[in-house]
Amino acid sequence: MTWLITGGAGYIGAHVVRAMTEAGEQAVVYDDLSTGIADRVPDGVPLVVGSTLDGERVARALADHEVTGVIHLAAKKQVAESVAQPLPYYRENVEGLRVLLDAVTTAGVPSFVFSSSAAVYGMPDVDLVTEETPCLPMSPYGETKLAGEWLVRATGKATGLSTACLRYFNVAGAARPELADTGVFNLVPMVFEKLTEHAPPRIFGDDYPTPDGTCVRDYIHVVDVAEAHVAAAHALRSSPGRSLTLNIGRGEGVSVREMIDHIATVTGHHLPPTITPRRPGDPPRVVASADRAATELAWKAKHDLHDMITSAWHGWLRLHPEAGRD
Ligand SMILES: NC(=O)c1ccc[n+]([C@@H]2O[C@H](COP(=O)([O-])OP(=O)(O)OC[C@H]3O[C@@H](n4cnc5c(N)ncnc54)[C@H](O)[C@@H]3O)[C@@H](O)[C@H]2O)c1
């Protein structure tokens, strides 16, 4: 069985490629290298450079490599950018997916795994977010992920394509330093960046209705996220016509202040954070219930916060060696 992994040269995709090949699966990466890095694709795994918007190129890749399953991670992912520029987000994330699904169903590929996001929930007013919690995305990015889920499920229903929509929560860490996230869009790299500048990390609002007043999130190691894809791919293969929608989180809330304290311990940079006003649209608490993924996939996150921060820091030091000096 050969899996086409779109976005396989990206941060999470590169981890999925490794997890799949280590599980004995054949993989082919399909990536336009807009944010991806070709060197992340391991030796022996073919890389097809192309956009998911290019239906002919996708169809050729599916045929040339006799693809029998697709894991679709290729997308644009910056929430703030999607607010300023919604059209490219709808084009890449929704139209790119529609074109891909057209090629997949025409080729008769039976299994499809889709990267969704906790951003589909928006501002959930619950302690633990289940897959039944209403989806009310707050940004065009979140909207494109929800619309993507609708496309995937509707196509599955109409054609018998087996589908899994995986809603990742806050992904962090790296399997190896060279696979670390190179972007600075999430809390962990944002704090690393400040510490590298010998500047205090920032907390956006400490007056939320949470135990320490700062926002609470569910952080999950990218290696655990990758393993969830392997489990989903195997689940789809063993039961045709399946439709899964699953939270991929640890089910454990960590506040921004707790995260900054952990980062200080791991990095040895102890700078008290500065408090700035809340950012618009930040929900106080978004923590997954991970029960359904445990039941459906027999999958559970294994890595803790320390693993995430330590591995992310090693990746950061590789690109910013000055951060290790006092
Ligand atoms: N990083 C997170 O915390 C997080 C959380 C939830 C969901 N996600 C989702 O996970 C997926 C992967 O995210 P990531 O963090 O690895 O991002 P990334 O930017 O590192 O990876 C995206 C990859 O897709 C490629 N790509 C983008 N548009 C493409 C297109 N139209 N055709 C072909 N290739 C294209 C890029 O070159 C890149 O290699 C995305 O769908 C993202 O929305 C990420």
Side-chain angles (χ1 to χ4, degrees), residues 7 9-13 30-37 40 50-53 73-77 92 115-117 141 145 168-171 186:
Y11 163 53
I12 301 173
Y30 189 92
D31 197 300
D32 68 2
L33 301 180
S34 51
T35 59
I37 301 169
R40 282 186 178 138
S51 168
T52 52
L53 289 158
L73 298 108
K76 293 173 80 66
K77 65 163 182 180
E92 300 292 320
S115 281
S116 187
S117 164
Y141 168 71
K145 288 293 169 183
Y168 321 153
F169 281 62
N170 293 64
V171 186
N186 303 320

PDB file of all heavy atoms in Angstrom, residues 7 9-13 30-37 40 50-53 73-77 92 115-117 141 145 168-171 186, ligand 1:
ATOM      1  N   GLY A   7       1.937  17.902   1.713  1.00  0.00           N
ATOM      2  CA  GLY A   7       2.529  18.690   2.793  1.00  0.00           C
ATOM      3  C   GLY A   7       3.567  17.901   3.577  1.00  0.00           C
ATOM      4  O   GLY A   7       3.915  18.261   4.701  1.00  0.00           O
ATOM      5  N   ALA A   9       6.658  17.760   3.228  1.00  0.00           N
ATOM      6  CA  ALA A   9       7.931  18.456   3.469  1.00  0.00           C
ATOM      7  C   ALA A   9       7.762  19.518   4.558  1.00  0.00           C
ATOM      8  O   ALA A   9       8.690  20.268   4.861  1.00  0.00           O
ATOM      9  CB  ALA A   9       8.433  19.101   2.176  1.00  0.00           C
ATOM     10  N   GLY A  10       6.564  19.586   5.145  1.00  0.00           N
ATOM     11  CA  GLY A  10       6.300  20.556   6.209  1.00  0.00           C
ATOM     12  C   GLY A  10       6.655  19.990   7.573  1.00  0.00           C
ATOM     13  O   GLY A  10       7.128  18.851   7.700  1.00  0.00           O
ATOM     14  N   TYR A  11       6.395  20.790   8.591  1.00  0.00           N
ATOM     15  CA  TYR A  11       6.757  20.408   9.974  1.00  0.00           C
ATOM     16  C   TYR A  11       6.056  19.117  10.407  1.00  0.00           C
ATOM     17  O   TYR A  11       6.704  18.108  10.705  1.00  0.00           O
ATOM     18  CB  TYR A  11       6.414  21.595  10.881  1.00  0.00           C
ATOM     19  CG  TYR A  11       6.320  21.296  12.354  1.00  0.00           C
ATOM     20  CD1 TYR A  11       7.364  20.652  13.028  1.00  0.00           C
ATOM     21  CD2 TYR A  11       5.188  21.685  13.090  1.00  0.00           C
ATOM     22  CE1 TYR A  11       7.268  20.398  14.397  1.00  0.00           C
ATOM     23  CE2 TYR A  11       5.094  21.439  14.445  1.00  0.00           C
ATOM     24  CZ  TYR A  11       6.132  20.788  15.093  1.00  0.00           C
ATOM     25  OH  TYR A  11       6.024  20.530  16.432  1.00  0.00           O
ATOM     26  N   ILE A  12       4.734  19.110  10.401  1.00  0.00           N
ATOM     27  CA  ILE A  12       4.022  17.910  10.868  1.00  0.00           C
ATOM     28  C   ILE A  12       4.129  16.806   9.821  1.00  0.00           C
ATOM     29  O   ILE A  12       4.340  15.629  10.146  1.00  0.00           O
ATOM     30  CB  ILE A  12       2.543  18.235  11.187  1.00  0.00           C
ATOM     31  CG1 ILE A  12       2.466  19.318  12.272  1.00  0.00           C
ATOM     32  CG2 ILE A  12       1.803  16.974  11.653  1.00  0.00           C
ATOM     33  CD1 ILE A  12       1.054  19.834  12.545  1.00  0.00           C
ATOM     34  N   GLY A  13       4.006  17.181   8.543  1.00  0.00           N
ATOM     35  CA  GLY A  13       4.040  16.192   7.469  1.00  0.00           C
ATOM     36  C   GLY A  13       5.323  15.368   7.483  1.00  0.00           C
ATOM     37  O   GLY A  13       5.285  14.140   7.273  1.00  0.00           O
ATOM     38  N   TYR A  30       3.920  14.799  -1.661  1.00  0.00           N
ATOM     39  CA  TYR A  30       3.443  15.754  -2.681  1.00  0.00           C
ATOM     40  C   TYR A  30       3.405  17.123  -2.010  1.00  0.00           C
ATOM     41  O   TYR A  30       2.653  17.328  -1.045  1.00  0.00           O
ATOM     42  CB  TYR A  30       2.049  15.341  -3.164  1.00  0.00           C
ATOM     43  CG  TYR A  30       1.573  16.140  -4.356  1.00  0.00           C
ATOM     44  CD1 TYR A  30       1.807  15.702  -5.649  1.00  0.00           C
ATOM     45  CD2 TYR A  30       0.890  17.340  -4.176  1.00  0.00           C
ATOM     46  CE1 TYR A  30       1.379  16.436  -6.746  1.00  0.00           C
ATOM     47  CE2 TYR A  30       0.461  18.081  -5.268  1.00  0.00           C
ATOM     48  CZ  TYR A  30       0.707  17.620  -6.548  1.00  0.00           C
ATOM     49  OH  TYR A  30       0.288  18.351  -7.638  1.00  0.00           O
ATOM     50  N   ASP A  31       4.238  18.065  -2.490  1.00  0.00           N
ATOM     51  CA  ASP A  31       4.383  19.331  -1.761  1.00  0.00           C
ATOM     52  C   ASP A  31       4.824  20.416  -2.737  1.00  0.00           C
ATOM     53  O   ASP A  31       5.675  20.163  -3.598  1.00  0.00           O
ATOM     54  CB  ASP A  31       5.436  19.140  -0.644  1.00  0.00           C
ATOM     55  CG  ASP A  31       5.376  20.212   0.421  1.00  0.00           C
ATOM     56  OD1 ASP A  31       5.546  21.391   0.080  1.00  0.00           O
ATOM     57  OD2 ASP A  31       5.158  19.864   1.601  1.00  0.00           O
ATOM     58  N   ASP A  32       4.258  21.610  -2.594  1.00  0.00           N
ATOM     59  CA  ASP A  32       4.683  22.708  -3.494  1.00  0.00           C
ATOM     60  C   ASP A  32       5.870  23.485  -2.929  1.00  0.00           C
ATOM     61  O   ASP A  32       6.325  24.461  -3.540  1.00  0.00           O
ATOM     62  CB  ASP A  32       3.502  23.651  -3.795  1.00  0.00           C
ATOM     63  CG  ASP A  32       3.035  24.447  -2.580  1.00  0.00           C
ATOM     64  OD1 ASP A  32       3.633  24.314  -1.488  1.00  0.00           O
ATOM     65  OD2 ASP A  32       2.057  25.221  -2.723  1.00  0.00           O
ATOM     66  N   LEU A  33       6.363  23.076  -1.765  1.00  0.00           N
ATOM     67  CA  LEU A  33       7.529  23.684  -1.110  1.00  0.00           C
ATOM     68  C   LEU A  33       7.328  25.178  -0.824  1.00  0.00           C
ATOM     69  O   LEU A  33       8.291  25.935  -0.731  1.00  0.00           O
ATOM     70  CB  LEU A  33       8.818  23.445  -1.920  1.00  0.00           C
ATOM     71  CG  LEU A  33       9.173  21.969  -2.150  1.00  0.00           C
ATOM     72  CD1 LEU A  33      10.467  21.840  -2.954  1.00  0.00           C
ATOM     73  CD2 LEU A  33       9.321  21.210  -0.829  1.00  0.00           C
ATOM     74  N   SER A  34       6.059  25.598  -0.656  1.00  0.00           N
ATOM     75  CA  SER A  34       5.806  27.009  -0.335  1.00  0.00           C
ATOM     76  C   SER A  34       6.311  27.347   1.059  1.00  0.00           C
ATOM     77  O   SER A  34       6.897  28.408   1.275  1.00  0.00           O
ATOM     78  CB  SER A  34       4.313  27.345  -0.468  1.00  0.00           C
ATOM     79  OG  SER A  34       3.527  26.425   0.258  1.00  0.00           O
ATOM     80  N   THR A  35       6.112  26.452   2.005  1.00  0.00           N
ATOM     81  CA  THR A  35       6.750  26.603   3.330  1.00  0.00           C
ATOM     82  C   THR A  35       7.554  25.344   3.667  1.00  0.00           C
ATOM     83  O   THR A  35       8.294  25.334   4.645  1.00  0.00           O
ATOM     84  CB  THR A  35       5.704  26.823   4.451  1.00  0.00           C
ATOM     85  OG1 THR A  35       4.820  25.695   4.474  1.00  0.00           O
ATOM     86  CG2 THR A  35       4.898  28.092   4.238  1.00  0.00           C
ATOM     87  N   GLY A  36       7.413  24.310   2.874  1.00  0.00           N
ATOM     88  CA  GLY A  36       8.102  23.039   3.154  1.00  0.00           C
ATOM     89  C   GLY A  36       9.573  23.092   2.755  1.00  0.00           C
ATOM     90  O   GLY A  36       9.996  23.963   2.005  1.00  0.00           O
ATOM     91  N   ILE A  37      10.323  22.111   3.248  1.00  0.00           N
ATOM     92  CA  ILE A  37      11.770  22.038   3.008  1.00  0.00           C
ATOM     93  C   ILE A  37      12.059  20.646   2.439  1.00  0.00           C
ATOM     94  O   ILE A  37      11.769  19.631   3.100  1.00  0.00           O
ATOM     95  CB  ILE A  37      12.535  22.254   4.337  1.00  0.00           C
ATOM     96  CG1 ILE A  37      12.185  23.619   4.945  1.00  0.00           C
ATOM     97  CG2 ILE A  37      14.046  22.125   4.130  1.00  0.00           C
ATOM     98  CD1 ILE A  37      12.672  23.815   6.372  1.00  0.00           C
ATOM     99  N   ARG A  40      13.712  17.785   4.349  1.00  0.00           N
ATOM    100  CA  ARG A  40      12.989  17.043   5.400  1.00  0.00           C
ATOM    101  C   ARG A  40      12.483  15.683   4.897  1.00  0.00           C
ATOM    102  O   ARG A  40      12.090  14.840   5.697  1.00  0.00           O
ATOM    103  CB  ARG A  40      11.776  17.846   5.881  1.00  0.00           C
ATOM    104  CG  ARG A  40      12.097  18.983   6.835  1.00  0.00           C
ATOM    105  CD  ARG A  40      10.773  19.561   7.306  1.00  0.00           C
ATOM    106  NE  ARG A  40      10.916  20.629   8.260  1.00  0.00           N
ATOM    107  CZ  ARG A  40      10.181  21.738   8.234  1.00  0.00           C
ATOM    108  NH1 ARG A  40       9.288  21.922   7.286  1.00  0.00           N
ATOM    109  NH2 ARG A  40      10.330  22.659   9.157  1.00  0.00           N
ATOM    110  N   GLY A  50       4.593  19.894  -6.448  1.00  0.00           N
ATOM    111  CA  GLY A  50       3.399  20.354  -7.164  1.00  0.00           C
ATOM    112  C   GLY A  50       2.379  20.859  -6.162  1.00  0.00           C
ATOM    113  O   GLY A  50       2.477  20.592  -4.959  1.00  0.00           O
ATOM    114  N   SER A  51       1.400  21.590  -6.690  1.00  0.00           N
ATOM    115  CA  SER A  51       0.338  22.135  -5.847  1.00  0.00           C
ATOM    116  C   SER A  51      -0.886  21.224  -5.877  1.00  0.00           C
ATOM    117  O   SER A  51      -1.181  20.618  -6.911  1.00  0.00           O
ATOM    118  CB  SER A  51      -0.044  23.527  -6.355  1.00  0.00           C
ATOM    119  OG  SER A  51      -1.240  23.949  -5.732  1.00  0.00           O
ATOM    120  N   THR A  52      -1.599  21.201  -4.781  1.00  0.00           N
ATOM    121  CA  THR A  52      -2.858  20.437  -4.762  1.00  0.00           C
ATOM    122  C   THR A  52      -3.891  21.089  -5.689  1.00  0.00           C
ATOM    123  O   THR A  52      -4.891  20.468  -6.028  1.00  0.00           O
ATOM    124  CB  THR A  52      -3.444  20.368  -3.337  1.00  0.00           C
ATOM    125  OG1 THR A  52      -3.531  21.694  -2.821  1.00  0.00           O
ATOM    126  CG2 THR A  52      -2.585  19.522  -2.428  1.00  0.00           C
ATOM    127  N   LEU A  53      -3.643  22.332  -6.085  1.00  0.00           N
ATOM    128  CA  LEU A  53      -4.552  23.003  -7.022  1.00  0.00           C
ATOM    129  C   LEU A  53      -4.371  22.495  -8.448  1.00  0.00           C
ATOM    130  O   LEU A  53      -5.200  22.781  -9.306  1.00  0.00           O
ATOM    131  CB  LEU A  53      -4.305  24.521  -6.978  1.00  0.00           C
ATOM    132  CG  LEU A  53      -4.772  25.198  -5.690  1.00  0.00           C
ATOM    133  CD1 LEU A  53      -4.045  26.513  -5.464  1.00  0.00           C
ATOM    134  CD2 LEU A  53      -6.279  25.426  -5.717  1.00  0.00           C
ATOM    135  N   LEU A  73      -2.036  16.965   4.412  1.00  0.00           N
ATOM    136  CA  LEU A  73      -1.654  17.989   5.390  1.00  0.00           C
ATOM    137  C   LEU A  73      -1.405  19.345   4.736  1.00  0.00           C
ATOM    138  O   LEU A  73      -1.293  20.349   5.439  1.00  0.00           O
ATOM    139  CB  LEU A  73      -0.374  17.577   6.130  1.00  0.00           C
ATOM    140  CG  LEU A  73      -0.433  16.309   6.964  1.00  0.00           C
ATOM    141  CD1 LEU A  73       0.364  15.196   6.296  1.00  0.00           C
ATOM    142  CD2 LEU A  73       0.079  16.542   8.376  1.00  0.00           C
ATOM    143  N   ALA A  74      -1.251  19.392   3.415  1.00  0.00           N
ATOM    144  CA  ALA A  74      -0.875  20.640   2.739  1.00  0.00           C
ATOM    145  C   ALA A  74      -1.931  21.706   2.970  1.00  0.00           C
ATOM    146  O   ALA A  74      -3.104  21.498   2.658  1.00  0.00           O
ATOM    147  CB  ALA A  74      -0.713  20.380   1.246  1.00  0.00           C
ATOM    148  N   ALA A  75      -1.508  22.828   3.521  1.00  0.00           N
ATOM    149  CA  ALA A  75      -2.440  23.935   3.767  1.00  0.00           C
ATOM    150  C   ALA A  75      -1.658  25.147   4.232  1.00  0.00           C
ATOM    151  O   ALA A  75      -0.489  25.042   4.604  1.00  0.00           O
ATOM    152  CB  ALA A  75      -3.454  23.550   4.849  1.00  0.00           C
ATOM    153  N   LYS A  76      -2.344  26.287   4.201  1.00  0.00           N
ATOM    154  CA  LYS A  76      -1.810  27.476   4.863  1.00  0.00           C
ATOM    155  C   LYS A  76      -2.368  27.477   6.282  1.00  0.00           C
ATOM    156  O   LYS A  76      -3.514  27.105   6.488  1.00  0.00           O
ATOM    157  CB  LYS A  76      -2.238  28.742   4.116  1.00  0.00           C
ATOM    158  CG  LYS A  76      -1.617  28.854   2.727  1.00  0.00           C
ATOM    159  CD  LYS A  76      -2.185  30.020   1.940  1.00  0.00           C
ATOM    160  CE  LYS A  76      -1.558  31.348   2.342  1.00  0.00           C
ATOM    161  NZ  LYS A  76      -0.135  31.437   1.992  1.00  0.00           N
ATOM    162  N   LYS A  77      -1.567  27.959   7.268  1.00  0.00           N
ATOM    163  CA  LYS A  77      -1.975  27.703   8.661  1.00  0.00           C
ATOM    164  C   LYS A  77      -1.876  28.888   9.625  1.00  0.00           C
ATOM    165  O   LYS A  77      -2.007  28.712  10.826  1.00  0.00           O
ATOM    166  CB  LYS A  77      -1.123  26.570   9.214  1.00  0.00           C
ATOM    167  CG  LYS A  77       0.344  26.914   9.327  1.00  0.00           C
ATOM    168  CD  LYS A  77       1.103  25.971  10.248  1.00  0.00           C
ATOM    169  CE  LYS A  77       2.549  26.358  10.372  1.00  0.00           C
ATOM    170  NZ  LYS A  77       3.353  25.532  11.217  1.00  0.00           N
ATOM    171  N   GLU A  92      -6.210  27.801  -1.218  1.00  0.00           N
ATOM    172  CA  GLU A  92      -5.294  26.688  -0.923  1.00  0.00           C
ATOM    173  C   GLU A  92      -5.983  25.602  -0.094  1.00  0.00           C
ATOM    174  O   GLU A  92      -5.823  24.419  -0.365  1.00  0.00           O
ATOM    175  CB  GLU A  92      -4.072  27.189  -0.135  1.00  0.00           C
ATOM    176  CG  GLU A  92      -3.245  28.239  -0.825  1.00  0.00           C
ATOM    177  CD  GLU A  92      -2.509  27.739  -2.059  1.00  0.00           C
ATOM    178  OE1 GLU A  92      -1.994  26.618  -2.043  1.00  0.00           O
ATOM    179  OE2 GLU A  92      -2.458  28.497  -3.049  1.00  0.00           O
ATOM    180  N   SER A 115      -6.003  16.683   7.705  1.00  0.00           N
ATOM    181  CA  SER A 115      -5.526  17.513   8.829  1.00  0.00           C
ATOM    182  C   SER A 115      -6.529  18.583   9.138  1.00  0.00           C
ATOM    183  O   SER A 115      -6.610  19.582   8.429  1.00  0.00           O
ATOM    184  CB  SER A 115      -4.278  18.297   8.404  1.00  0.00           C
ATOM    185  OG  SER A 115      -3.158  17.568   8.411  1.00  0.00           O
ATOM    186  N   SER A 116      -7.275  18.413  10.212  1.00  0.00           N
ATOM    187  CA  SER A 116      -8.129  19.509  10.657  1.00  0.00           C
ATOM    188  C   SER A 116      -7.472  20.144  11.884  1.00  0.00           C
ATOM    189  O   SER A 116      -6.278  19.923  12.141  1.00  0.00           O
ATOM    190  CB  SER A 116      -9.541  19.001  10.933  1.00  0.00           C
ATOM    191  OG  SER A 116     -10.400  20.081  11.212  1.00  0.00           O
ATOM    192  N   SER A 117      -8.225  20.915  12.618  1.00  0.00           N
ATOM    193  CA  SER A 117      -7.615  21.705  13.688  1.00  0.00           C
ATOM    194  C   SER A 117      -8.639  22.003  14.773  1.00  0.00           C
ATOM    195  O   SER A 117      -9.838  22.112  14.494  1.00  0.00           O
ATOM    196  CB  SER A 117      -7.121  23.018  13.082  1.00  0.00           C
ATOM    197  OG  SER A 117      -6.853  23.965  14.080  1.00  0.00           O
ATOM    198  N   TYR A 141      -9.073  30.953   8.736  1.00  0.00           N
ATOM    199  CA  TYR A 141      -8.324  29.680   8.783  1.00  0.00           C
ATOM    200  C   TYR A 141      -9.204  28.566   9.347  1.00  0.00           C
ATOM    201  O   TYR A 141      -9.344  27.492   8.753  1.00  0.00           O
ATOM    202  CB  TYR A 141      -7.059  29.842   9.629  1.00  0.00           C
ATOM    203  CG  TYR A 141      -6.412  28.517   9.963  1.00  0.00           C
ATOM    204  CD1 TYR A 141      -5.763  27.773   8.979  1.00  0.00           C
ATOM    205  CD2 TYR A 141      -6.477  27.975  11.257  1.00  0.00           C
ATOM    206  CE1 TYR A 141      -5.198  26.532   9.266  1.00  0.00           C
ATOM    207  CE2 TYR A 141      -5.914  26.748  11.552  1.00  0.00           C
ATOM    208  CZ  TYR A 141      -5.276  26.030  10.552  1.00  0.00           C
ATOM    209  OH  TYR A 141      -4.719  24.798  10.842  1.00  0.00           O
ATOM    210  N   LYS A 145     -10.863  25.005   7.603  1.00  0.00           N
ATOM    211  CA  LYS A 145     -10.708  23.636   8.119  1.00  0.00           C
ATOM    212  C   LYS A 145     -12.080  22.981   8.302  1.00  0.00           C
ATOM    213  O   LYS A 145     -12.253  21.793   8.020  1.00  0.00           O
ATOM    214  CB  LYS A 145      -9.926  23.658   9.439  1.00  0.00           C
ATOM    215  CG  LYS A 145      -8.452  23.976   9.258  1.00  0.00           C
ATOM    216  CD  LYS A 145      -7.766  22.838   8.520  1.00  0.00           C
ATOM    217  CE  LYS A 145      -6.366  23.188   8.071  1.00  0.00           C
ATOM    218  NZ  LYS A 145      -5.725  22.127   7.304  1.00  0.00           N
ATOM    219  N   TYR A 168      -6.183  18.469  15.266  1.00  0.00           N
ATOM    220  CA  TYR A 168      -5.029  18.595  16.168  1.00  0.00           C
ATOM    221  C   TYR A 168      -5.232  19.787  17.092  1.00  0.00           C
ATOM    222  O   TYR A 168      -5.689  20.832  16.652  1.00  0.00           O
ATOM    223  CB  TYR A 168      -3.716  18.857  15.438  1.00  0.00           C
ATOM    224  CG  TYR A 168      -3.434  18.174  14.150  1.00  0.00           C
ATOM    225  CD1 TYR A 168      -2.575  18.800  13.241  1.00  0.00           C
ATOM    226  CD2 TYR A 168      -3.943  16.931  13.815  1.00  0.00           C
ATOM    227  CE1 TYR A 168      -2.255  18.222  12.041  1.00  0.00           C
ATOM    228  CE2 TYR A 168      -3.626  16.346  12.610  1.00  0.00           C
ATOM    229  CZ  TYR A 168      -2.789  16.993  11.724  1.00  0.00           C
ATOM    230  OH  TYR A 168      -2.466  16.434  10.520  1.00  0.00           O
ATOM    231  N   PHE A 169      -4.776  19.637  18.315  1.00  0.00           N
ATOM    232  CA  PHE A 169      -4.756  20.768  19.238  1.00  0.00           C
ATOM    233  C   PHE A 169      -3.400  21.483  19.082  1.00  0.00           C
ATOM    234  O   PHE A 169      -2.977  21.675  17.954  1.00  0.00           O
ATOM    235  CB  PHE A 169      -5.143  20.286  20.655  1.00  0.00           C
ATOM    236  CG  PHE A 169      -6.655  20.135  20.749  1.00  0.00           C
ATOM    237  CD1 PHE A 169      -7.333  19.227  19.933  1.00  0.00           C
ATOM    238  CD2 PHE A 169      -7.413  20.947  21.569  1.00  0.00           C
ATOM    239  CE1 PHE A 169      -8.728  19.132  19.936  1.00  0.00           C
ATOM    240  CE2 PHE A 169      -8.803  20.853  21.592  1.00  0.00           C
ATOM    241  CZ  PHE A 169      -9.460  19.952  20.772  1.00  0.00           C
ATOM    242  N   ASN A 170      -2.704  21.896  20.124  1.00  0.00           N
ATOM    243  CA  ASN A 170      -1.496  22.733  19.932  1.00  0.00           C
ATOM    244  C   ASN A 170      -0.259  21.856  19.788  1.00  0.00           C
ATOM    245  O   ASN A 170       0.205  21.278  20.776  1.00  0.00           O
ATOM    246  CB  ASN A 170      -1.348  23.699  21.103  1.00  0.00           C
ATOM    247  CG  ASN A 170      -2.460  24.724  21.111  1.00  0.00           C
ATOM    248  OD1 ASN A 170      -3.634  24.380  21.272  1.00  0.00           O
ATOM    249  ND2 ASN A 170      -2.117  25.962  20.891  1.00  0.00           N
ATOM    250  N   VAL A 171       0.257  21.785  18.576  1.00  0.00           N
ATOM    251  CA  VAL A 171       1.344  20.853  18.273  1.00  0.00           C
ATOM    252  C   VAL A 171       2.686  21.496  18.614  1.00  0.00           C
ATOM    253  O   VAL A 171       2.921  22.666  18.297  1.00  0.00           O
ATOM    254  CB  VAL A 171       1.298  20.457  16.778  1.00  0.00           C
ATOM    255  CG1 VAL A 171       2.324  19.383  16.469  1.00  0.00           C
ATOM    256  CG2 VAL A 171      -0.105  19.988  16.393  1.00  0.00           C
ATOM    257  N   ASN A 186       3.544  30.007  17.154  1.00  0.00           N
ATOM    258  CA  ASN A 186       2.921  29.421  18.341  1.00  0.00           C
ATOM    259  C   ASN A 186       3.662  29.871  19.589  1.00  0.00           C
ATOM    260  O   ASN A 186       4.768  30.408  19.506  1.00  0.00           O
ATOM    261  CB  ASN A 186       2.938  27.889  18.256  1.00  0.00           C
ATOM    262  CG  ASN A 186       2.233  27.410  17.000  1.00  0.00           C
ATOM    263  OD1 ASN A 186       1.196  27.964  16.637  1.00  0.00           O
ATOM    264  ND2 ASN A 186       2.800  26.434  16.340  1.00  0.00           N
TER     265      ASN A 186
HETATM  266  N1  LIG B   1       1.149  23.325  13.442  1.00  0.00           N
HETATM  267  C1  LIG B   1       0.035  23.235  14.173  1.00  0.00           C
HETATM  268  O1  LIG B   1       0.042  23.520  15.396  1.00  0.00           O
HETATM  269  C2  LIG B   1      -1.264  22.761  13.549  1.00  0.00           C
HETATM  270  C3  LIG B   1      -2.407  22.651  14.364  1.00  0.00           C
HETATM  271  C4  LIG B   1      -3.596  22.204  13.780  1.00  0.00           C
HETATM  272  C5  LIG B   1      -3.630  21.865  12.434  1.00  0.00           C
HETATM  273  N2  LIG B   1      -2.502  22.001  11.664  1.00  0.00           N
HETATM  274  C6  LIG B   1      -2.587  21.624  10.242  1.00  0.00           C
HETATM  275  O2  LIG B   1      -1.560  20.676   9.978  1.00  0.00           O
HETATM  276  C7  LIG B   1      -1.148  20.769   8.630  1.00  0.00           C
HETATM  277  C8  LIG B   1       0.366  20.849   8.570  1.00  0.00           C
HETATM  278  O3  LIG B   1       0.789  21.991   9.300  1.00  0.00           O
HETATM  279  P1  LIG B   1       2.322  22.319   9.559  1.00  0.00           P
HETATM  280  O4  LIG B   1       2.404  22.958  10.907  1.00  0.00           O
HETATM  281  O5  LIG B   1       3.168  21.138   9.269  1.00  0.00           O
HETATM  282  O6  LIG B   1       2.549  23.459   8.455  1.00  0.00           O
HETATM  283  P2  LIG B   1       3.737  23.634   7.402  1.00  0.00           P
HETATM  284  O7  LIG B   1       3.538  24.995   6.790  1.00  0.00           O
HETATM  285  O8  LIG B   1       5.054  23.328   8.021  1.00  0.00           O
HETATM  286  O9  LIG B   1       3.407  22.500   6.334  1.00  0.00           O
HETATM  287  C9  LIG B   1       2.498  22.658   5.284  1.00  0.00           C
HETATM  288  C10 LIG B   1       3.122  22.000   4.057  1.00  0.00           C
HETATM  289  O10 LIG B   1       2.194  22.034   2.976  1.00  0.00           O
HETATM  290  C11 LIG B   1       2.839  22.547   1.806  1.00  0.00           C
HETATM  291  N3  LIG B   1       1.768  23.187   1.036  1.00  0.00           N
HETATM  292  C12 LIG B   1       1.012  24.250   1.390  1.00  0.00           C
HETATM  293  N4  LIG B   1       0.075  24.499   0.459  1.00  0.00           N
HETATM  294  C13 LIG B   1       0.232  23.559  -0.515  1.00  0.00           C
HETATM  295  C14 LIG B   1      -0.455  23.257  -1.717  1.00  0.00           C
HETATM  296  N5  LIG B   1      -1.501  23.976  -2.133  1.00  0.00           N
HETATM  297  N6  LIG B   1      -0.030  22.209  -2.458  1.00  0.00           N
HETATM  298  C15 LIG B   1       1.030  21.445  -2.057  1.00  0.00           C
HETATM  299  N7  LIG B   1       1.704  21.679  -0.912  1.00  0.00           N
HETATM  300  C16 LIG B   1       1.309  22.727  -0.149  1.00  0.00           C
HETATM  301  C17 LIG B   1       3.928  23.460   2.318  1.00  0.00           C
HETATM  302  O11 LIG B   1       4.984  23.647   1.397  1.00  0.00           O
HETATM  303  C18 LIG B   1       4.379  22.714   3.569  1.00  0.00           C
HETATM  304  O12 LIG B   1       5.371  21.759   3.275  1.00  0.00           O
HETATM  305  C19 LIG B   1      -1.877  21.960   8.032  1.00  0.00           C
HETATM  306  O13 LIG B   1      -3.002  21.485   7.338  1.00  0.00           O
HETATM  307  C20 LIG B   1      -2.299  22.744   9.264  1.00  0.00           C
HETATM  308  O14 LIG B   1      -3.442  23.526   9.011  1.00  0.00           O
HETATM  309  C21 LIG B   1      -1.327  22.443  12.181  1.00  0.00           C
END
